[in-house]
Amino acid sequence: MSQQQRMPWIVGVSGASGTPFAASVLRGLLAAGESVDLVVSRASRLTLLDETGLAYRDAHWREDLAAWLARGADGKPDTFDVDVSGVRHWAAGDLAAGPSSGSYPAKGMLIVPASTACVAGVALGLSKDLLQRAASVTLKERRKLVVAVRETPLSGATLKQLVALDDAGAVVLPASPGFYAGATHIQDLVDFVAGRVLDAAGVPHRLYRRWEGKLGGGSGG
C-alpha cells in the first residue's frame, strides 16, 4: 500500500513586526496535526532577533525553531512544549524549492505576519524570494492564501494592493486582536489573531473563546 501523500500548509514569515503571531499559528497547525512547510524571510530573521533575541539559521533551523515556538509572547522561554517534527524548512533564497512549483502538493499558504513590502511583492507577482514565489503559486493554483498584514497606518498604494489580493482570491486578514474573548494576557491577544488566521484556513483550534451571543460572556462575570 502506498504511503499517503504529505499535504502541508506553507507558512511564510515576512519582516513585519509580529513574530509572536507566526509562532502561535505554527503551534496551532502542529497541534491540529497539520504538516507545515516553513519559509522565514531574511528580513523576518532580523525582526525575530529584535523581538525575541533568538536567531533563525538555515543550518540550525530545527533547534532555532523549537526555541522560538517554546517562547511565550511575553518573552518567557519554555512556555510551550512543541514537537517540530511535522515541519519542513525551506531557505528563503531557494527558488528551486518544492513550494516554488504548482505541482508541489500543498493545502494552501498563510503569510503571518505580512509586511507591506511582502504584500506589494505578492500583489505585483515579483517572486523576488521563495515566500513571494510560493504565494504567487498558491494564487495561480487557486489554493487558499491568507495574508495577515501587520502595518499601521496603511498607505493608498498598500490598500490598492490588498484589494488586488482580495480580487485574486486571497483572504486579507489584518492582525487586529479582538477583546470580546476576555483577554487578560498578551498571549491571549496574539492567540486571537492566530486563531482567526486558522479559522480562515479551516483548521480547527482552541486558541480563543468564540462569541456565543451573550454580552459580557468574555468578562468572566
Side-chain angles (χ1 to χ4, degrees), residues 1 19 28 33 42 47 49 52 54 84 100-101 111 118 120 131-132 137 146 153 168 178-179 187 189 199 207 212 218:
M1 183 179 295
T19 54
R42 291 187 176 93
T47 305
L49 184 63
T52 69
L54 298 174
V84 300
S100 68
S101 172
I111 305 178
C118 174
L131 195 160
Q132 291 184 13
V137 167
V146 182
F179 292 82
Q187 189 67 55
L189 298 175
D199 286 345
L207 287 176
E212 296 180 346

PDB file of all heavy atoms in Angstrom, residues 1 19 28 33 42 47 49 52 54 84 100-101 111 118 120 131-132 137 146 153 168 178-179 187 189 199 207 212 218:
ATOM      1  N   MET A   1       0.858  -1.191   0.000  1.00  0.00           N
ATOM      2  CA  MET A   1       0.000   0.000   0.000  1.00  0.00           C
ATOM      3  C   MET A   1       0.895   1.241   0.000  1.00  0.00           C
ATOM      4  O   MET A   1       1.843   1.341   0.777  1.00  0.00           O
ATOM      5  CB  MET A   1      -0.905   0.006   1.239  1.00  0.00           C
ATOM      6  CG  MET A   1      -1.881   1.191   1.282  1.00  0.00           C
ATOM      7  SD  MET A   1      -2.955   1.119   2.753  1.00  0.00           S
ATOM      8  CE  MET A   1      -3.878  -0.376   2.393  1.00  0.00           C
ATOM      9  N   THR A  19       6.285  38.653  15.140  1.00  0.00           N
ATOM     10  CA  THR A  19       6.706  37.244  15.091  1.00  0.00           C
ATOM     11  C   THR A  19       5.937  36.366  16.075  1.00  0.00           C
ATOM     12  O   THR A  19       5.766  35.169  15.803  1.00  0.00           O
ATOM     13  CB  THR A  19       8.224  37.120  15.333  1.00  0.00           C
ATOM     14  OG1 THR A  19       8.580  37.784  16.562  1.00  0.00           O
ATOM     15  CG2 THR A  19       9.010  37.741  14.184  1.00  0.00           C
ATOM     16  N   GLY A  28      -0.512  26.258  16.496  1.00  0.00           N
ATOM     17  CA  GLY A  28      -1.874  25.816  16.234  1.00  0.00           C
ATOM     18  C   GLY A  28      -1.953  24.773  15.127  1.00  0.00           C
ATOM     19  O   GLY A  28      -2.692  23.793  15.245  1.00  0.00           O
ATOM     20  N   GLY A  33      -2.359  18.633  14.088  1.00  0.00           N
ATOM     21  CA  GLY A  33      -1.839  17.504  13.321  1.00  0.00           C
ATOM     22  C   GLY A  33      -1.516  17.828  11.880  1.00  0.00           C
ATOM     23  O   GLY A  33      -1.366  16.915  11.058  1.00  0.00           O
ATOM     24  N   ARG A  42      14.528  36.647   4.935  1.00  0.00           N
ATOM     25  CA  ARG A  42      15.741  37.226   5.521  1.00  0.00           C
ATOM     26  C   ARG A  42      15.403  38.392   6.446  1.00  0.00           C
ATOM     27  O   ARG A  42      15.949  38.535   7.529  1.00  0.00           O
ATOM     28  CB  ARG A  42      16.686  37.673   4.405  1.00  0.00           C
ATOM     29  CG  ARG A  42      17.312  36.524   3.620  1.00  0.00           C
ATOM     30  CD  ARG A  42      18.374  37.029   2.655  1.00  0.00           C
ATOM     31  NE  ARG A  42      19.038  35.931   1.960  1.00  0.00           N
ATOM     32  CZ  ARG A  42      18.683  35.457   0.786  1.00  0.00           C
ATOM     33  NH1 ARG A  42      17.640  35.991   0.158  1.00  0.00           N
ATOM     34  NH2 ARG A  42      19.334  34.465   0.224  1.00  0.00           N
ATOM     35  N   THR A  47      13.838  40.770  12.382  1.00  0.00           N
ATOM     36  CA  THR A  47      12.731  41.119  13.270  1.00  0.00           C
ATOM     37  C   THR A  47      12.649  40.133  14.431  1.00  0.00           C
ATOM     38  O   THR A  47      12.435  40.523  15.584  1.00  0.00           O
ATOM     39  CB  THR A  47      11.402  41.125  12.498  1.00  0.00           C
ATOM     40  OG1 THR A  47      11.507  41.986  11.371  1.00  0.00           O
ATOM     41  CG2 THR A  47      10.258  41.601  13.385  1.00  0.00           C
ATOM     42  N   LEU A  49      15.050  38.366  15.724  1.00  0.00           N
ATOM     43  CA  LEU A  49      16.165  38.633  16.627  1.00  0.00           C
ATOM     44  C   LEU A  49      15.872  39.854  17.498  1.00  0.00           C
ATOM     45  O   LEU A  49      16.145  39.857  18.708  1.00  0.00           O
ATOM     46  CB  LEU A  49      17.446  38.844  15.819  1.00  0.00           C
ATOM     47  CG  LEU A  49      18.737  39.056  16.619  1.00  0.00           C
ATOM     48  CD1 LEU A  49      19.065  37.818  17.446  1.00  0.00           C
ATOM     49  CD2 LEU A  49      19.893  39.372  15.659  1.00  0.00           C
ATOM     50  N   THR A  52      12.716  38.916  19.965  1.00  0.00           N
ATOM     51  CA  THR A  52      12.847  37.798  20.901  1.00  0.00           C
ATOM     52  C   THR A  52      14.272  37.556  21.377  1.00  0.00           C
ATOM     53  O   THR A  52      14.468  36.827  22.359  1.00  0.00           O
ATOM     54  CB  THR A  52      12.342  36.491  20.265  1.00  0.00           C
ATOM     55  OG1 THR A  52      13.245  36.102  19.217  1.00  0.00           O
ATOM     56  CG2 THR A  52      10.944  36.652  19.691  1.00  0.00           C
ATOM     57  N   LEU A  54      16.236  35.814  19.626  1.00  0.00           N
ATOM     58  CA  LEU A  54      16.549  34.497  19.077  1.00  0.00           C
ATOM     59  C   LEU A  54      16.983  34.588  17.622  1.00  0.00           C
ATOM     60  O   LEU A  54      16.418  35.371  16.847  1.00  0.00           O
ATOM     61  CB  LEU A  54      15.327  33.578  19.176  1.00  0.00           C
ATOM     62  CG  LEU A  54      14.816  33.279  20.593  1.00  0.00           C
ATOM     63  CD1 LEU A  54      13.519  32.487  20.515  1.00  0.00           C
ATOM     64  CD2 LEU A  54      15.864  32.495  21.383  1.00  0.00           C
ATOM     65  N   VAL A  84       8.374  19.832  16.732  1.00  0.00           N
ATOM     66  CA  VAL A  84       8.522  20.442  15.408  1.00  0.00           C
ATOM     67  C   VAL A  84       8.828  19.413  14.322  1.00  0.00           C
ATOM     68  O   VAL A  84       9.222  19.771  13.214  1.00  0.00           O
ATOM     69  CB  VAL A  84       9.611  21.535  15.425  1.00  0.00           C
ATOM     70  CG1 VAL A  84       9.251  22.633  16.404  1.00  0.00           C
ATOM     71  CG2 VAL A  84      10.986  20.954  15.739  1.00  0.00           C
ATOM     72  N   SER A 100       7.914  26.347  -4.823  1.00  0.00           N
ATOM     73  CA  SER A 100       8.019  27.258  -5.968  1.00  0.00           C
ATOM     74  C   SER A 100       7.294  26.718  -7.189  1.00  0.00           C
ATOM     75  O   SER A 100       7.157  27.429  -8.189  1.00  0.00           O
ATOM     76  CB  SER A 100       9.493  27.501  -6.315  1.00  0.00           C
ATOM     77  OG  SER A 100      10.095  26.319  -6.821  1.00  0.00           O
ATOM     78  N   SER A 101       6.801  25.477  -7.112  1.00  0.00           N
ATOM     79  CA  SER A 101       6.129  24.866  -8.258  1.00  0.00           C
ATOM     80  C   SER A 101       4.685  24.536  -7.930  1.00  0.00           C
ATOM     81  O   SER A 101       4.373  24.062  -6.836  1.00  0.00           O
ATOM     82  CB  SER A 101       6.856  23.576  -8.669  1.00  0.00           C
ATOM     83  OG  SER A 101       6.117  22.871  -9.650  1.00  0.00           O
ATOM     84  N   ILE A 111       0.543  33.698   5.288  1.00  0.00           N
ATOM     85  CA  ILE A 111       1.646  34.643   5.466  1.00  0.00           C
ATOM     86  C   ILE A 111       1.381  35.412   6.742  1.00  0.00           C
ATOM     87  O   ILE A 111       0.460  36.221   6.836  1.00  0.00           O
ATOM     88  CB  ILE A 111       1.780  35.604   4.272  1.00  0.00           C
ATOM     89  CG1 ILE A 111       1.917  34.824   2.956  1.00  0.00           C
ATOM     90  CG2 ILE A 111       3.000  36.506   4.462  1.00  0.00           C
ATOM     91  CD1 ILE A 111       2.005  35.714   1.726  1.00  0.00           C
ATOM     92  N   CYS A 118       6.018  42.753   1.471  1.00  0.00           N
ATOM     93  CA  CYS A 118       5.578  41.423   1.056  1.00  0.00           C
ATOM     94  C   CYS A 118       4.256  41.514   0.304  1.00  0.00           C
ATOM     95  O   CYS A 118       4.078  40.877  -0.741  1.00  0.00           O
ATOM     96  CB  CYS A 118       5.438  40.535   2.287  1.00  0.00           C
ATOM     97  SG  CYS A 118       4.739  38.908   1.970  1.00  0.00           S
ATOM     98  N   ALA A 120       3.098  44.002  -1.407  1.00  0.00           N
ATOM     99  CA  ALA A 120       3.353  44.561  -2.733  1.00  0.00           C
ATOM    100  C   ALA A 120       3.953  43.518  -3.656  1.00  0.00           C
ATOM    101  O   ALA A 120       3.547  43.381  -4.818  1.00  0.00           O
ATOM    102  CB  ALA A 120       4.285  45.769  -2.621  1.00  0.00           C
ATOM    103  N   LEU A 131       9.274  33.083  -0.519  1.00  0.00           N
ATOM    104  CA  LEU A 131       7.999  33.433   0.102  1.00  0.00           C
ATOM    105  C   LEU A 131       7.043  34.024  -0.936  1.00  0.00           C
ATOM    106  O   LEU A 131       5.898  33.592  -1.067  1.00  0.00           O
ATOM    107  CB  LEU A 131       8.239  34.410   1.248  1.00  0.00           C
ATOM    108  CG  LEU A 131       7.094  34.644   2.248  1.00  0.00           C
ATOM    109  CD1 LEU A 131       7.632  35.218   3.548  1.00  0.00           C
ATOM    110  CD2 LEU A 131       6.027  35.573   1.683  1.00  0.00           C
ATOM    111  N   GLN A 132       7.520  35.001  -1.684  1.00  0.00           N
ATOM    112  CA  GLN A 132       6.675  35.630  -2.700  1.00  0.00           C
ATOM    113  C   GLN A 132       6.330  34.650  -3.817  1.00  0.00           C
ATOM    114  O   GLN A 132       5.186  34.627  -4.304  1.00  0.00           O
ATOM    115  CB  GLN A 132       7.367  36.865  -3.270  1.00  0.00           C
ATOM    116  CG  GLN A 132       7.481  38.016  -2.289  1.00  0.00           C
ATOM    117  CD  GLN A 132       8.078  39.256  -2.915  1.00  0.00           C
ATOM    118  OE1 GLN A 132       8.192  39.352  -4.139  1.00  0.00           O
ATOM    119  NE2 GLN A 132       8.471  40.219  -2.091  1.00  0.00           N
ATOM    120  N   VAL A 137       2.344  31.120  -6.557  1.00  0.00           N
ATOM    121  CA  VAL A 137       1.932  29.774  -6.956  1.00  0.00           C
ATOM    122  C   VAL A 137       0.596  29.424  -6.304  1.00  0.00           C
ATOM    123  O   VAL A 137      -0.299  28.856  -6.951  1.00  0.00           O
ATOM    124  CB  VAL A 137       3.011  28.747  -6.571  1.00  0.00           C
ATOM    125  CG1 VAL A 137       2.478  27.326  -6.689  1.00  0.00           C
ATOM    126  CG2 VAL A 137       4.239  28.915  -7.459  1.00  0.00           C
ATOM    127  N   VAL A 146      -3.920  33.138   2.900  1.00  0.00           N
ATOM    128  CA  VAL A 146      -4.310  34.069   3.948  1.00  0.00           C
ATOM    129  C   VAL A 146      -3.143  35.017   4.195  1.00  0.00           C
ATOM    130  O   VAL A 146      -2.018  34.577   4.456  1.00  0.00           O
ATOM    131  CB  VAL A 146      -4.677  33.334   5.253  1.00  0.00           C
ATOM    132  CG1 VAL A 146      -5.119  34.334   6.321  1.00  0.00           C
ATOM    133  CG2 VAL A 146      -5.780  32.305   5.001  1.00  0.00           C
ATOM    134  N   PRO A 153      -0.216  53.246   9.954  1.00  0.00           N
ATOM    135  CA  PRO A 153      -1.374  53.249   9.062  1.00  0.00           C
ATOM    136  C   PRO A 153      -1.019  52.615   7.722  1.00  0.00           C
ATOM    137  O   PRO A 153       0.143  52.343   7.448  1.00  0.00           O
ATOM    138  CB  PRO A 153      -1.693  54.739   8.919  1.00  0.00           C
ATOM    139  CG  PRO A 153      -0.373  55.414   9.098  1.00  0.00           C
ATOM    140  CD  PRO A 153       0.371  54.611  10.114  1.00  0.00           C
ATOM    141  N   ALA A 168      -7.858  38.581  -6.308  1.00  0.00           N
ATOM    142  CA  ALA A 168      -7.203  37.366  -6.797  1.00  0.00           C
ATOM    143  C   ALA A 168      -7.606  36.125  -6.006  1.00  0.00           C
ATOM    144  O   ALA A 168      -7.223  35.008  -6.365  1.00  0.00           O
ATOM    145  CB  ALA A 168      -5.689  37.536  -6.737  1.00  0.00           C
ATOM    146  N   GLY A 178      -9.132  41.050  18.855  1.00  0.00           N
ATOM    147  CA  GLY A 178     -10.416  41.404  19.439  1.00  0.00           C
ATOM    148  C   GLY A 178     -10.355  41.254  20.949  1.00  0.00           C
ATOM    149  O   GLY A 178      -9.561  40.461  21.466  1.00  0.00           O
ATOM    150  N   PHE A 179     -11.202  41.980  21.653  1.00  0.00           N
ATOM    151  CA  PHE A 179     -11.161  41.982  23.111  1.00  0.00           C
ATOM    152  C   PHE A 179     -12.378  41.308  23.741  1.00  0.00           C
ATOM    153  O   PHE A 179     -12.437  41.161  24.956  1.00  0.00           O
ATOM    154  CB  PHE A 179     -11.031  43.425  23.614  1.00  0.00           C
ATOM    155  CG  PHE A 179      -9.703  44.051  23.273  1.00  0.00           C
ATOM    156  CD1 PHE A 179      -9.485  44.603  22.021  1.00  0.00           C
ATOM    157  CD2 PHE A 179      -8.665  44.060  24.183  1.00  0.00           C
ATOM    158  CE1 PHE A 179      -8.266  45.167  21.684  1.00  0.00           C
ATOM    159  CE2 PHE A 179      -7.436  44.627  23.864  1.00  0.00           C
ATOM    160  CZ  PHE A 179      -7.240  45.178  22.609  1.00  0.00           C
ATOM    161  N   GLN A 187      -0.570  37.074  25.512  1.00  0.00           N
ATOM    162  CA  GLN A 187      -0.680  35.841  24.727  1.00  0.00           C
ATOM    163  C   GLN A 187      -2.097  35.640  24.209  1.00  0.00           C
ATOM    164  O   GLN A 187      -2.306  35.117  23.117  1.00  0.00           O
ATOM    165  CB  GLN A 187      -0.252  34.639  25.562  1.00  0.00           C
ATOM    166  CG  GLN A 187      -0.125  33.341  24.760  1.00  0.00           C
ATOM    167  CD  GLN A 187       1.025  33.386  23.761  1.00  0.00           C
ATOM    168  OE1 GLN A 187       2.160  33.637  24.120  1.00  0.00           O
ATOM    169  NE2 GLN A 187       0.723  33.134  22.493  1.00  0.00           N
ATOM    170  N   LEU A 189      -4.200  37.964  23.270  1.00  0.00           N
ATOM    171  CA  LEU A 189      -4.400  38.830  22.107  1.00  0.00           C
ATOM    172  C   LEU A 189      -3.692  38.276  20.883  1.00  0.00           C
ATOM    173  O   LEU A 189      -4.217  38.316  19.763  1.00  0.00           O
ATOM    174  CB  LEU A 189      -3.908  40.245  22.426  1.00  0.00           C
ATOM    175  CG  LEU A 189      -4.640  40.956  23.560  1.00  0.00           C
ATOM    176  CD1 LEU A 189      -3.985  42.307  23.857  1.00  0.00           C
ATOM    177  CD2 LEU A 189      -6.114  41.154  23.216  1.00  0.00           C
ATOM    178  N   ASP A 199      -8.916  30.019  11.453  1.00  0.00           N
ATOM    179  CA  ASP A 199     -10.316  29.973  11.025  1.00  0.00           C
ATOM    180  C   ASP A 199     -10.418  30.156   9.514  1.00  0.00           C
ATOM    181  O   ASP A 199     -11.172  29.439   8.836  1.00  0.00           O
ATOM    182  CB  ASP A 199     -11.122  31.086  11.709  1.00  0.00           C
ATOM    183  CG  ASP A 199     -11.398  30.821  13.178  1.00  0.00           C
ATOM    184  OD1 ASP A 199     -11.224  29.673  13.624  1.00  0.00           O
ATOM    185  OD2 ASP A 199     -11.779  31.772  13.885  1.00  0.00           O
ATOM    186  N   LEU A 207      -7.739  28.312  20.321  1.00  0.00           N
ATOM    187  CA  LEU A 207      -6.855  29.403  20.699  1.00  0.00           C
ATOM    188  C   LEU A 207      -7.587  30.573  21.360  1.00  0.00           C
ATOM    189  O   LEU A 207      -6.960  31.355  22.076  1.00  0.00           O
ATOM    190  CB  LEU A 207      -6.094  29.911  19.469  1.00  0.00           C
ATOM    191  CG  LEU A 207      -4.983  28.992  18.952  1.00  0.00           C
ATOM    192  CD1 LEU A 207      -4.380  29.553  17.671  1.00  0.00           C
ATOM    193  CD2 LEU A 207      -3.902  28.803  20.012  1.00  0.00           C
ATOM    194  N   GLU A 212     -20.592  33.849  21.604  1.00  0.00           N
ATOM    195  CA  GLU A 212     -21.747  32.965  21.749  1.00  0.00           C
ATOM    196  C   GLU A 212     -23.051  33.738  21.846  1.00  0.00           C
ATOM    197  O   GLU A 212     -24.091  33.162  22.221  1.00  0.00           O
ATOM    198  CB  GLU A 212     -21.565  32.065  22.971  1.00  0.00           C
ATOM    199  CG  GLU A 212     -20.358  31.114  22.819  1.00  0.00           C
ATOM    200  CD  GLU A 212     -20.180  30.221  24.032  1.00  0.00           C
ATOM    201  OE1 GLU A 212     -20.796  30.512  25.076  1.00  0.00           O
ATOM    202  OE2 GLU A 212     -19.413  29.249  23.927  1.00  0.00           O
ATOM    203  N   GLY A 218     -17.244  37.301  27.821  1.00  0.00           N
ATOM    204  CA  GLY A 218     -15.807  37.183  27.896  1.00  0.00           C
ATOM    205  C   GLY A 218     -15.212  37.826  29.122  1.00  0.00           C
ATOM    206  O   GLY A 218     -13.993  37.773  29.326  1.00  0.00           O
TER     207      GLY A 218
END
